[in-house]
Amino acid sequence: MNKPAKQVIRNKIMEQCPWAKGHKIEQVISPVDSIEIYAVRRKDGDNTYFLKTDKYLNSCFASNYWRLDDFRNSLDYMSDCPDSVLRAMNKDNGGGYWTKRQVIDKLLEIKSGSKTALDEVMARLNWEDENETRYKISREIAENRIGRKVSEY
């Protein structure tokens, strides 16, 4: 379960993002010891996340419809951020993705002879792949981002 963030962290987050005052700030369970995850909860579901490594607190933004790629893009300066951290944030934000640990646990169940675990893993990972491509940006936004016209087909 997520737990409220310590006051020291809350103060640092509110210093970086003054609008966080009055919002719930929680610590999300991180899959790795070296990175702490904090979430500022907003009523519209578009949470803001802060990743703490050593003494640095980096912000990244999310919405109900973000994909893992969106998070990677907002973490360009933190190239060594493991996928499992992104997945933990996605799951926390309602994405429902399995962490790497959950996938490994299911694969171990398969190895030990479970009849249903393989179907469960395949169905789950297929759902994740489909969900990754469900939300597309408009052509206008895409053209604006890449700086040229995109082909129509």
Side-chain angles (χ1 to χ4, degrees):
M1 283 312 241
N2 298 337
K3 58 184 181 183
K6 295 182 183 118
Q7 192 60 46
V8 176
I9 297 290
R10 292 175 58 80
N11 293 343
K12 282 184 181 177
I13 288 174
M14 286 187 276
E15 189 180 314
Q16 277 187 34
C17 290
W19 57 261
K21 282 189 176 103
H23 287 84
K24 193 180 204 180
I25 302 174
E26 293 180 331
Q27 183 171 3
V28 176
I29 296 166
S30 177
V32 293
D33 294 338
S34 58
I35 299 175
E36 294 172 20
I37 307 171
Y38 297 94
V40 179
R41 304 277 181 217
R42 289 174 42 175
K43 287 184 177 62
D44 59 7
D46 290 354
N47 300 327
T48 305
Y49 290 88
F50 290 84
L51 300 181
K52 185 172 184 280
T53 50
D54 298 325
K55 59 181 185 251
Y56 301 106
L57 198 63
N58 300 314
S59 63
C60 45
F61 301 92
S63 82
N64 289 329
Y65 303 113
W66 64 271
R67 304 186 333 248
L68 292 179
D69 288 346
D70 298 332
F71 244 151
R72 269 193 206 94
N73 292 342
S74 72
L75 286 169
D76 283 341
Y77 47 84
M78 204 175 151
S79 57
D80 60 344
C81 184
D83 273 9
S84 57
V85 170
L86 300 179
R87 285 174 167 269
M89 287 189 282
N90 193 359
K91 187 171 185 180
D92 172 76
N93 210 43
Y97 289 87
W98 273 1
T99 61
K100 211 174 279 183
R101 177 79 254 164
Q102 286 171 298
V103 174
I104 290 169
D105 287 345
K106 279 293 173 191
L107 293 175
L108 290 172
E109 279 181 39
I110 295 165
K111 195 173 179 184
S112 65
S114 170
K115 302 271 188 265
T116 57
L118 181 59
D119 290 340
E120 200 177 329
V121 168
M122 294 310 294
R124 186 54 181 224
L125 296 181
N126 284 338
W127 174 85
E128 288 186 13
D129 284 345
E130 286 167 22
N131 205 43
E132 280 282 294
T133 56
R134 183 176 301 160
Y135 306 105
K136 299 196 180 341
I137 58 174
S138 72
R139 187 171 346 113
E140 185 183 352
I141 293 171
E143 288 173 352
N144 189 7
R145 282 194 185 168
I146 61 174
R148 63 173 173 77
K149 291 277 185 201
V150 293
S151 62
E152 295 177 43
Y153 56 90

